[in-house]
């Protein structure tokens, strides 16, 4: 048996040691100086001005969409059909209307022509997901959105270190979201980050993270002005926005700081693994037309070339037999339009009309790609796939 799990060793003994030594000396455990240090280190790594560390990637999505509604009003948000559930749920719960577009087979992100043709006077933003480590942006899309005054929001939860030309994914839009869940490129066990160059949005996210509290905003002039405007309120308890408690802890930040040290090295190893994997695929059976420039995949994508349910059934049976862990439908389980909550809220959509998303849904899956995976195992996996 091949025995390949989805993820291995993403919290190392060294991370645990680091955590223990922190616990032995620390006197503050919730959101504090270590969180700030991790945010600053992350901003430097990514190349943005500000980052806000939260307790999950989904929280980053929910806060981002709430912040957009607060600052720019509710409206239409153009979303992918291949993405994670919180990218849709966050749009809905912030009071926006999701407008779905099909996937582009080359990167599984949004089909550019459909994004542009979906823009209306009510469009507030495009919420693009960089799927499973592929860059989902083009210069044309970035330029067109800028020209039309549409905000670009990048979900990079699955694609830390992916490159759009010379820029890291997560630095071309108004704001971006990351996840540090155990299965991703690096982990704080649970965790997420919201990144932006916009000072006002940054302060908004700081407040949203902690119940909407004014005192979380580090703009002193703004705090003074609000306190003067509301003399009847206790300055420690002024709530500016209908916020959440989505804070993380110092413990998670300590792990994040330690993990960040090896992120670039791990991305390199995963890139090399992915190259070996793609080289070994039989392009008559599997889709190999991915745009791999600047990719940073934590998973191997297995996508059938043809719509062949029997072949797909054989494929999953063989992977199960060989104890190769996999997830069907790729990111988020496939076409989001097929999910019960979407069908109920937006019955007007016909999931099958989103042909690429549906192909990925029914004939796609991913297996694990982690730094310690050796070349022989990857080659044994591709041999197995060739022989099905
Ligand atoms: C694209 C995308 N966005 C958001 C999330 C949510 O992140 P988390 O699991 O940290 O809540 C995920 C999944 O893990 C994801 O793949």
């Amino acid at each position: 048996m091949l025995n390949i799990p989805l993820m291995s060793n993403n919290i190392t003994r060294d991370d645990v040691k680091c955590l223990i030594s922190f616990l032995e000396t620390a006197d503050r455990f919730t959101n504090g100086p270590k969180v700030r240090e991790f945010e600053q280190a992350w901003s430097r790594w990514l190349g943005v001005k500000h980052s806000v560390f939260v307790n999950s990637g989904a929280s980053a999505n929910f806060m981002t969409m709430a912040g957009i509604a607060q600052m720019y009003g509710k409206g239409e948000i153009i979303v992918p059909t291949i993405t994670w559930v919180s990218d849709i749920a966050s749009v809905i719960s912030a009071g926006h209307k999701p407008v779905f577009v099909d996937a582009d087979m080359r990167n599984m992100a949004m089909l550019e022509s459909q994004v542009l043709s979906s823009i209306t006077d009510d469009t507030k933003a495009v919420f693009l997901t960089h799927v499973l480590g592929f860059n989902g942006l083009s210069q044309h899309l970035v330029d067109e959105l800028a020209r039309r005054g549409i905000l670009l929001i990048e979900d990079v939860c699955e694609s830390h270190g992916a490159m759009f030309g010379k820029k890291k994914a997560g630095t071309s839009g108004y704001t971006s979201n990351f996840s540090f869940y155990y299965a991703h490129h690096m982990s704080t066990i649970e965790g997420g980050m919201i990144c932006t160059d916009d000072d006002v949005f940054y302060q908004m996210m700081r407040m949203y993270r902690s119940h909407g509290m004014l005192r979380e905003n580090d703009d002193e002039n703004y705090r003074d002005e609000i306190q003067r405007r509301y003399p009847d309120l206790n300055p420690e308890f002024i709530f500016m926005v209908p916020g959440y408690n989505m804070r993380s802890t110092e413990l998670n930040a300590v792990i994040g700081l330690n993990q960040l040290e090896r992120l670039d090295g791990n991305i390199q190893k995963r890139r090399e693994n992915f190259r070996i994997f793609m080289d070994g695929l039989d392009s008559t059976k599997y889709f190999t037309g991915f745009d791999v420039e600047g990719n940073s995949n934590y998973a191997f994508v297995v996508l059938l070339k043809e719509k062949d349910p029997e072949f797909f059934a054989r494929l999953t049976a063989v992977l199960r037999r060989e104890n190769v862990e996999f997830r069907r439908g790729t990111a988020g389980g496939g076409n989001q339009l097929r999910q019960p909550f979407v069908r109920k809220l937006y019955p007007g959509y016909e999931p099958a009309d989103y042909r690429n998303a549906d192909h990925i849904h029914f004939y796609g899956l991913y297996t694990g790609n982690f730094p310690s995976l050796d070349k022989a195992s990857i080659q044994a996996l591709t041999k197995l796939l060739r022989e099905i």
Side-chain angles (χ1 to χ4, degrees):
M1 283 209 290
L2 288 184
N3 295 322
I4 304 178
L6 278 183
M7 178 56 67
S8 172
N9 206 22
N10 212 11
I11 303 287
T12 62
R13 292 321 298 166
D14 188 57
D15 293 331
V16 174
K17 265 196 212 148
C18 206
L19 192 56
I20 291 169
S21 73
F22 169 77
L23 284 167
E24 276 168 349
T25 54
D27 56 6
R28 184 189 167 106
F29 300 97
T30 190
N31 191 358
K34 281 289 170 195
V35 167
R36 214 28 120 156
E37 196 184 325
F38 180 38
E39 290 170 341
Q40 285 163 355
W42 182 261
S43 295
R44 275 195 303 278
W45 178 83
L46 184 63
V48 292
K49 212 163 154 191
H50 306 292
S51 296
V52 176
F53 185 42
V54 292
N55 58 7
S56 74
S59 298
N61 295 156
F62 279 93
M63 284 172 50
T64 296
M65 281 300 130
I68 296 296
Q70 186 67 225
M71 283 176 63
Y72 299 95
K74 295 172 186 174
E76 292 177 2
I77 307 282
I78 301 177
V79 296
T81 31
I82 295 292
T83 185
W84 187 251
V85 58
S86 53
D87 291 69
I88 312 300
S90 60
V91 167
I92 298 166
S93 69
H96 302 292
K97 181 180 167 209
V99 176
F100 292 88
V101 302
D102 202 0
D104 185 330
M105 292 299 272
R106 291 170 311 152
N107 53 19
M108 295 192 288
M110 298 159 104
L111 207 52
E112 188 177 297
S113 54
Q114 271 192 24
V115 172
L116 296 176
S117 65
S118 301
I119 293 174
T120 70
D121 291 346
D122 290 333
T123 306
K124 297 284 174 197
V126 170
F127 194 6
L128 180 136
T129 299
H130 295 277
V131 179
L132 287 178
F134 296 111
N135 161 52
L137 284 176
S138 73
Q139 198 56 50
H140 180 61
L141 182 63
V142 172
D143 291 346
E144 271 302 295
L145 296 181
R147 192 178 68 76
R148 300 192 198 188
I150 308 288
L151 298 170
L152 169 64
I153 300 166
E154 294 176 80
D155 185 326
V156 201
C157 288
E158 306 179 356
S159 301
H160 314 51
M163 299 296 291
F164 162 47
K166 290 193 163 52
K167 297 182 81 175
K168 280 196 173 118
T171 60
S172 294
Y174 177 67
T175 176
S176 58
N177 297 162
F178 287 82
S179 163
F180 305 121
Y181 177 59
Y182 175 77
H184 293 163
H185 295 69
M186 66 167 258
S187 179
T188 57
I189 309 175
E190 296 277 359
M193 200 70 94
I194 301 162
C195 309
T196 186
D197 286 334
D198 186 302
D199 298 340
V200 177
F201 188 74
Y202 169 58
Q203 298 302 343
M204 185 66 79
M205 289 299 97
R206 287 185 55 79
M207 293 192 290
Y208 262 102
R209 177 174 62 181
S210 288
H211 309 285
M213 275 186 186
L214 176 67
R215 65 180 145 105
E216 287 294 317
N217 189 313
D218 10 66
D219 181 341
E220 211 177 316
N221 293 335
Y222 177 74
R223 284 201 312 267
D224 289 348
E225 182 204 317
I226 298 293
Q227 284 169 22
R228 269 198 303 277
R229 212 190 296 163
Y230 297 94
D232 57 324
L233 289 177
N234 177 344
E236 278 101 54
F237 294 106
I238 299 179
F239 301 100
M240 297 305 295
V241 288
Y244 311 106
N245 178 356
M246 289 179 170
R247 291 183 299 246
S248 188
T249 74
E250 294 289 87
L251 282 63
N252 301 81
V254 165
I255 298 175
L257 280 162
N258 208 46
Q259 290 248 341
L260 193 48
E261 301 280 313
R262 51 177 200 274
L263 179 59
D264 285 333
N266 284 346
I267 286 171
Q268 268 320 106
K269 285 187 201 151
R270 286 184 157 110
R271 263 195 195 124
E272 177 58 13
N273 288 352
F274 193 82
R275 197 192 54 72
I276 298 167
F277 175 77
M278 290 304 288
D279 282 352
L281 277 189
D282 177 350
S283 62
T284 62
K285 293 179 178 172
Y286 302 99
F287 179 80
T288 53
F290 294 114
D291 179 2
V292 292
E293 194 166 328
N295 66 323
S296 174
N297 311 78
Y298 73 83
F300 297 140
V301 182
V302 184
L303 192 55
L304 299 198
K305 204 158 181 182
E306 308 295 337
K307 295 186 193 335
D308 185 341
E310 276 157 32
F311 184 26
F312 195 71
R314 272 200 316 277
L315 165 68
T316 52
V318 168
L319 292 177
R320 277 196 197 97
R321 187 194 72 208
E322 292 296 321
N323 198 25
V324 177
E325 217 180 332
F326 63 88
R327 291 284 183 271
R328 272 175 290 181
T330 73
N335 189 349
Q336 286 291 325
L337 286 169
R338 293 191 172 276
Q339 295 298 340
F341 80 100
V342 180
R343 282 179 182 268
K344 192 171 166 201
L345 284 169
Y346 307 104
Y349 281 102
E350 174 45 61
D353 289 347
Y354 294 72
R355 298 162 71 116
N356 293 342
D358 243 24
H359 187 85
I360 296 166
H361 183 100
F362 288 111
Y363 305 108
L365 57 79
Y366 70 83
T367 67
N369 169 16
F370 41 90
S372 59
L373 191 60
D374 57 273
K375 189 172 175 183
S377 298
I378 303 169
Q379 288 175 332
L381 175 62
T382 52
K383 180 168 180 287
L384 189 76
L385 293 174
R386 283 197 303 272
E387 287 168 356
I388 296 171

